């Protein structure tokens, strides 16, 4: 079953969760899936743009995230989401400590696609190459997510021939 509303969560909502949000939006559009996607940060400020490297590595694949603005995680977003996908186990545990009733709706993104031991590391303050590695990891995870929803093999990365 395909969730209608997906919320990605990271720490600052400047790198990982916006990348995942825009990658999923792009892939869902290309696959003809109707899904709403948002992102938020456990410690985000309101209204900050993504890091320049986040914008740049997505733009390399033709995805424009320049209009994204950070938002802190709030109860309204948690209630809105059918599934909440974090980047790390610590973020997942943080959410479950906030509200144990989120159990069954909150997972790490890798865990949700069957890679429970993986996490998505934070590229903030690192090199552009580190951002590319995170983008590529997120693209793989998002493709696995969509493949799981539609029951098909994962498509090639956005930067590869499909």
């Amino acid at each position: 079953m395909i969730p209608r509303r997906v919320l990605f969560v990271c720490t600052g909502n400047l790198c990982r969760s916006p990348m995942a949000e825009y990658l999923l939006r792009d892939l869902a559009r290309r696959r003809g899936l109707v899904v709403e996607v948002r992102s938020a940060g456990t410690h985000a400020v309101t209204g900050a743009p993504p890091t320049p490297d986040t914008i740049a590595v997505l733009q390399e694949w033709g995805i424009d995230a320049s209009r994204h603005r950070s938002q802190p995680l709030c109860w309204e977003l948690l209630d809105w989401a059918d599934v909440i996908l974090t980047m790390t186990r610590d973020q997942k545990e943080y959410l479950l400590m906030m509200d144990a009733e989120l159990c069954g709706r909150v997972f790490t993104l890798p865990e949700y696609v069957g890679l429970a031991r993986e996490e998505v590391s934070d590229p903030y303050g690192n090199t552009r190459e580190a951002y590319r590695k995170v983008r590529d990891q997120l693209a793989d995870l998002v493709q696995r997510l969509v493949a799981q929803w539609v029951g098909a093999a994962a498509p090639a990365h956005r930067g590869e021939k499909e």
Side-chain angles (χ1 to χ4, degrees):
M1 181 175 161
I2 300 173
R4 299 232 184 262
R5 296 179 301 253
V6 177
L7 177 64
F8 289 107
V9 176
C10 69
T11 305
N13 196 218
L14 301 172
C15 308
R16 294 171 291 177
S17 60
M19 276 193 236
E21 174 185 356
Y22 282 81
L23 287 164
L24 179 55
R25 281 184 182 172
D26 181 67
L27 184 57
R29 178 189 53 76
R30 290 187 289 118
R31 295 290 300 265
L33 300 176
V34 178
V35 60
E36 291 181 68
V37 188
R38 296 182 185 172
S39 63
T42 57
H43 294 84
V45 297
T46 301
T51 66
D53 288 322
T54 298
I55 293 170
V57 300
L58 288 174
Q59 190 60 54
E60 290 173 355
W61 286 3
I63 300 170
D64 182 10
S66 63
R67 293 184 184 193
H68 174 80
R69 293 298 175 261
S70 64
Q71 62 181 338
L73 189 63
C74 63
W75 292 111
E76 181 181 334
L77 283 171
L78 293 172
D79 289 341
W80 168 86
D82 294 326
V83 66
I84 303 156
L85 301 171
T86 68
M87 303 296 128
T88 67
R89 288 181 291 280
D90 286 346
Q91 292 161 348
K92 174 187 170 183
E93 293 305 317
Y94 175 80
L95 295 180
L96 291 173
M97 285 184 355
M98 285 176 57
D99 185 352
E101 290 186 21
L102 292 174
C103 189
R105 285 195 305 133
V106 63
F107 307 88
T108 69
L109 174 56
E111 170 189 31
Y112 194 77
V113 298
L115 302 171
R117 292 185 172 192
E118 264 191 47
E119 291 191 312
V120 181
S121 62
D122 192 351
Y124 188 82
N126 221 316
T127 64
R128 177 140 323 153
E129 187 55 34
Y131 277 80
R132 283 187 188 106
K133 286 180 182 178
V134 168
R135 176 205 58 203
D136 294 352
Q137 179 187 18
L138 286 168
D140 177 63
L141 293 168
V142 164
Q143 289 164 355
R144 289 171 183 263
L145 176 72
V146 169
Q148 179 177 302
W149 289 344
V150 297
H157 282 137
R158 171 79 174 164
E160 298 175 0
K161 298 274 187 218
E162 290 187 320

